[in-house]
Amino acid sequence: MTAALEETGLEQTAGAASEAAGKAAAMVRDSVKTVIAASMVGTAIEFYDFYAYGTAAANYFPHIFFSAKDNPTVALLMSLLTFAIAFIARPLGSLVFGHFGDRMGRKTTLVVSLMTMGVGTFLIGCLPTYEQAGVFAVAVLCLLRFIQGIGLGGEWSGAALVATENAPEDKRALYGSFPELGAPIGFFLSNGTYFVLESFNDQAAMLSWGWRVPFLLSAVLVIVGLVVRVHMEETPVFRMAQAQKKVVKSPLTEVFRKSWRQVLQATFLVAVTYTLFYTLATWSLAWGTKDTENGGGNLGFTNQEYLLMLMISICVFALFIVLSCLYADKIGRRRVLTFSSCALVVFALLFPFLLDGQLVGQKNFAANMAFLCIGFALMGIAFGPIGAFLPELFDANVRYSGSGIGYNLAAIVGAAFVPTIATWLSHNWGVHSVGLYLGVMAVCCLVSVLTCKETKDVDFTK
C-alpha cells in the first residue's frame, strides 16, 4: 500500500511538472523587435490607408468622382459620405475575423486581414474617373471602400493582441502602445506623400494622376507587413488556450451572451478618439483650406501649409501615446482615461475660438498650431491605453472578437460620419457647434470609463 501511495505521488508530481513545462513552453514569446514590427506595421498601413482616403475625399474626390460645379459644398459632403462606407463595413469585418482569430489564432487571421485591406486600397488608385466611366466609377469606389473596411475590421484588435499577449504583466500598456503608434506613423507617411506630391505638382496634375500615388504606394507597405507577419509566432496566450482546450467553437455567441456590457463600454471608450482624430485631421483640413462657399472656414491656408502643420502636430500625438501608456502601467488605465475625458470636454468648448476666422483672422499659424498640438496631445492620452484596456476587458478565448467588435462599432459611432456631420454643422451653425459635438462624445467616454473596473492587474491568461 505504501509503495502504491509513493507511486501515485510520483505520478502526480510528474504530471504537475509536465503541466508546468507545457505552460512555460506556451509562454515562449517573440522578441520585442518582432512584436513591435508585427503589431505596428498593420496599424500603420490601416491609418495610412484611411488618411490617404480622407485627404483625397476632402480635396480631390469632389472633383474626380462628383460634380463640383453647381454646389461645391454638396459635392464635398457626397465625397465625405463615401469615407463613411468603410467604417460601416468594419463591424462586419470584426465579426468575421474575430471569429477566426479566436478559433484559429491571431497570426493567420492578421495575414488575411492585411491582404484584404491592401488589395482594396491599391485598386482605388487604379480606378477610372467619373468623366471616364460615369456612375460605374463611383459604384466601384464604394465597393472597394467597403472591402477596405472588411479588412480593417480584423486589423486593430489582432495587432493589439499580438502586442499585449506577448507582454510582461507589468508592461501591457507599454506594449499595447506599439499598434497605437502605427496611427501617427501611418498619418505621417500619408500626409508626407501628399506634401511631396503637391510640392512638385500643381492642382491640375494632382487631379489628373497625383491623387493615385499614395494608394498605389500602399502596396510596398503591405508587402513589408506580410513578410513580418508570416514569420512571427502565434501568441503565447492563445497557444496556452489551445493547450488547455479553452478555445470555443462560437466566440461571437459567447461574447454577446457573457460580455455584451464590455462591448458597449469598449465602443464608447474608443468613439471619442475617432471623433477627435477626424475632427483634427480631416474636417479641419477642409475648414482651414477652403472658403465659406466651399464648406470651409475661410482661414486662408493652402493645402500644403495645412499638411505641414498636421505633420508637425502628429509628432505630439506619438509622444503622448507613449507617455500615457507609461502612466497607465503605473497608476492604472481608468485614471489616465478619466483625465483625458475631462480634458477633452474643456478642449471641445474652447477650441472653436482658435478656428473662428472673425476672431483670429486669416493664416494665424499660432492659433491653428495650438489647436492641432493640444488636440493631438489629448488624442494621444486618450488613445494610448486603449491598446491594453480593451483586450483586458475580455477573456482570452473571446478577446479577438470582443475587442474587435467594440473597437469597430466605435468607428461607426465616433468616426464614420464625423467629417460629414462636422462640415454640415460648421457650414450651417458655425464652428462652435463642432465643439459641442466633440464635447458630447467626450462625456459619453467619461461615463463609459467610470463604469469600467480597473484592469491593470487582471490575469491576462484567463
Side-chain angles (χ1 to χ4, degrees):
M1 184 175 178
T2 303
L5 287 173
E6 289 178 353
E7 184 177 349
T8 302
L10 288 171
E11 289 177 354
Q12 290 176 342
T13 302
S18 176
E19 183 179 348
K23 185 173 182 178
M27 292 302 291
V28 173
R29 297 178 170 91
D30 278 316
S31 68
V32 176
K33 291 181 180 180
T34 301
V35 172
I36 292 173
S39 60
M40 190 182 292
V41 70
T43 49
I45 296 169
E46 169 191 349
F47 283 90
Y48 173 92
D49 291 350
F50 263 64
Y51 303 153
Y53 195 97
T55 302
N59 292 309
Y60 306 117
F61 287 175
H63 305 275
I64 295 167
F65 294 105
F66 305 94
S67 174
K69 298 177 181 178
D70 300 329
N71 193 327
T73 301
V74 172
L76 175 61
L77 287 171
M78 292 175 65
S79 177
L80 292 176
L81 278 174
T82 65
F83 179 78
I85 293 173
F87 288 102
I88 296 171
R90 285 177 71 154
L92 178 59
S94 68
L95 292 175
V96 174
F97 287 109
H99 172 80
F100 290 106
D102 281 325
R103 288 206 63 190
M104 299 173 58
R106 298 20 172 157
K107 175 181 174 179
T108 302
T109 308
L110 276 174
V111 169
V112 177
S113 70
L114 184 60
M115 289 182 64
T116 304
M117 181 171 60
V119 168
T121 303
F122 180 82
L123 291 179
I124 287 175
C126 303
L127 281 177
T129 65
Y130 182 84
E131 288 185 358
Q132 295 170 330
V135 177
F136 175 77
V138 179
V140 177
L141 173 67
C142 293
L143 175 62
L144 292 176
R145 186 68 176 152
F146 188 84
I147 292 172
Q148 244 191 344
I150 294 292
L152 286 165
E155 175 55 44
W156 180 88
S157 53
L161 297 194
V162 166
T164 55
E165 290 186 348
N166 277 288
E169 290 185 7
D170 61 341
K171 294 182 179 179
R172 275 201 302 268
L174 179 60
Y175 273 58
S177 70
F178 300 157
E180 308 299 75
L181 285 170
I185 291 172
F187 182 90
F188 193 89
L189 290 174
S190 173
N191 275 14
T193 303
Y194 278 112
F195 181 82
V196 171
L197 286 168
E198 292 177 4
S199 298
F200 296 97
N201 297 284
D202 57 17
Q203 181 73 354
M206 290 300 297
L207 290 172
S208 175
W209 59 269
W211 68 271
R212 300 179 185 274
V213 175
F215 296 96
L216 299 176
L217 285 179
S218 69
V220 177
L221 295 175
V222 172
I223 292 170
V224 173
L226 287 174
V227 170
V228 172
R229 287 186 171 175
V230 165
H231 288 90
M232 76 179 188
E233 298 290 335
E234 184 54 77
T235 70
V237 173
F238 184 79
R239 292 201 305 269
M240 186 181 297
Q242 285 180 313
Q244 297 174 353
K245 298 183 179 180
K246 291 182 179 180
V247 177
V248 294
K249 292 183 178 180
S250 181
L252 297 177
T253 304
E254 197 78 2
V255 164
F256 289 113
R257 186 169 65 89
K258 291 185 176 181
S259 304
W260 60 268
R261 181 175 176 175
Q262 286 85 346
V263 170
L264 289 176
Q265 289 170 331
T267 298
F268 287 99
L269 282 170
V270 181
V272 70
T273 64
Y274 271 120
T275 304
L276 175 59
F277 183 82
Y278 287 104
T279 298
L280 291 167
T282 302
W283 168 78
S284 78
L285 176 62
W287 181 257
T289 58
K290 298 180 184 298
D291 57 28
T292 306
E293 293 181 355
N294 289 288
N298 199 32
L299 298 184
F301 295 107
T302 65
N303 198 57
Q304 192 175 3
E305 288 170 341
Y306 210 93
L307 288 176
L308 181 59
M309 288 189 291
L310 283 170
M311 289 169 64
I312 294 172
S313 59
I314 207 69
C315 297
V316 177
F317 180 25
L319 173 63
F320 276 85
I321 285 176
V322 176
L323 290 176
S324 67
C325 288
L326 290 172
Y327 274 97
D329 275 329
K330 289 183 178 180
I331 65 175
R333 289 68 160 126
R334 288 180 81 246
R335 289 186 182 182
V336 174
L337 293 177
T338 298
F339 168 79
S340 70
S341 300
C342 294
L344 280 173
V345 173
V346 177
F347 176 73
L349 296 175
L350 297 180
F351 87 75
F353 293 100
L354 298 172
L355 299 184
D356 190 335
Q358 295 181 347
L359 292 176
V360 300
Q362 287 195 328
K363 286 202 173 184
N364 190 324
F365 285 95
N368 214 82
M369 282 302 297
F371 159 70
L372 291 174
C373 288
I374 296 172
F376 273 118
L378 294 176
M379 173 75 188
I381 297 171
F383 190 57
I386 292 296
F389 197 23
L390 256 63
E392 289 168 348
L393 293 175
F394 300 92
D395 293 336
N397 57 359
V398 295
R399 190 169 286 149
Y400 203 129
S401 299
S403 59
I405 293 168
Y407 184 84
N408 289 294
L409 283 176
I412 293 181
V413 175
F417 302 102
V418 168
T420 307
I421 292 172
T423 299
W424 184 85
L425 285 173
S426 57
H427 185 70
N428 291 281
W429 300 95
V431 68
H432 290 269
S433 62
V434 180
L436 292 175
Y437 175 39
L438 176 61
V440 169
M441 297 304 298
V443 170
C444 291
C445 178
L446 178 61
V447 172
S448 183
V449 172
L450 295 177
T451 62
C452 290
K453 295 180 180 180
E454 179 56 62
T455 60
K456 182 171 77 74
D457 298 318
V458 299
D459 185 351
F460 208 51
T461 64
K462 291 185 177 179

